[in-house]
Amino acid sequence: MLRRLMTLTALVLTAGWLAGCASPQYLQPSPERTTSVPSIGQGQAVTVTTVDGRQSEQIGTRSGNAMSTSVITVEAGALIPRLQDEAERALRDMGFQPTTQAADGRPSLTLTLQRLAYGREDSRPMLDKARLESVLEARAENGGATYTGTYTSSLSQEFAVSPGFKKHQSMVERVLSDGLNRAFRDPELGRFLSR
């Protein structure tokens, strides 16, 4: 009787673990620019827009199998407003006055999330590796000219136990924050907007 009870308990725990691994995750990361930016503006208004240029909100699967049900999703509805807030904060710190209203002759900046991807790959024995990549594009227009910068960030991490929701969210925040840092510390971008 005790053996049957132990077997049943093990089966229930295994089924619960497998169900947890197979369930989708919907992340709501809050990336933040943490680097200093050049103080180059003199109060000029800059129209700033942030858009999602990804082909899908699904960034990958926890199993690494494309057919898996353990998909990881980062929805634009939560992420894009956060990126917009960080772009506006960066421009304010640079000495500009960010606005969402377009106007003739006003410099503009469009920040596009081109890619956000999560993949799994084999690492050392008993270890797996997760790889995240983000690509942000900053397209600035000023005086009839255009400046475009592309900023790629990646993060690889080994683990013995599959990461959970909080760890995945933290990893996505880190890679997106690095992308924001790369974009707004680009001296050419600031100089182009201020000329």
Side-chain angles (χ1 to χ4, degrees):
M1 180 71 175
L2 181 59
R3 176 178 251 167
R4 286 179 63 196
L5 182 60
M6 289 176 63
T7 302
L8 182 60
T9 301
L11 286 172
V12 168
L13 289 173
T14 301
W17 179 79
L18 288 172
C21 286
S23 61
Q25 287 184 351
Y26 296 88
L27 308 182
Q28 294 188 330
S30 294
E32 182 178 2
R33 176 192 54 86
T34 57
T35 191
S36 59
V37 292
S39 180
I40 201 164
Q42 298 179 346
Q44 307 98 310
V46 175
T47 301
V48 59
T49 308
T50 304
V51 297
D52 185 8
R54 297 176 294 163
Q55 294 181 348
S56 172
E57 293 183 333
Q58 292 182 0
I59 66 171
T61 64
R62 285 181 284 157
S63 68
N65 181 346
M67 301 301 289
S68 173
T69 58
S70 61
V71 296
I72 303 174
T73 300
V74 177
E75 295 176 340
L79 177 59
I80 297 305
R82 178 64 184 179
L83 292 175
Q84 175 76 21
D85 289 345
E86 287 301 295
E88 291 179 13
R89 182 171 72 89
L91 288 173
R92 275 193 297 275
D93 290 349
M94 293 168 78
F96 299 106
Q97 290 185 13
T99 177
T100 57
Q101 304 300 314
D104 287 340
R106 176 183 294 161
S108 68
L109 173 65
T110 302
L111 186 68
T112 303
L113 177 60
Q114 298 282 20
R115 176 175 166 79
L116 182 60
Y118 176 92
R120 290 276 300 276
E121 54 192 62
D122 291 333
S123 182
R124 294 178 286 164
M126 304 299 290
L127 290 174
D128 285 328
K129 182 184 284 187
R131 179 174 170 78
L132 269 163
E133 183 180 78
S134 74
V135 179
L136 287 172
E137 179 190 85
R139 178 182 171 87
E141 297 182 9
N142 191 2
T146 302
Y147 175 82
T148 303
T150 303
Y151 312 94
T152 301
S153 299
S154 61
L155 170 68
S156 293
Q157 188 159 346
E158 289 184 330
F159 52 86
V161 177
S162 184
F165 178 88
K166 287 185 179 179
K167 184 64 176 176
H168 281 141
Q169 183 144 298
S170 172
M171 291 168 66
V172 171
E173 285 178 352
R174 282 172 59 193
V175 77
L176 288 171
S177 296
D178 184 62
L180 287 168
N181 287 340
R182 289 172 185 266
F184 288 104
R185 72 174 176 234
D186 177 357
E188 292 302 319
L189 179 63
R191 280 197 287 267
F192 182 84
L193 288 170
S194 67
R195 55 178 212 181

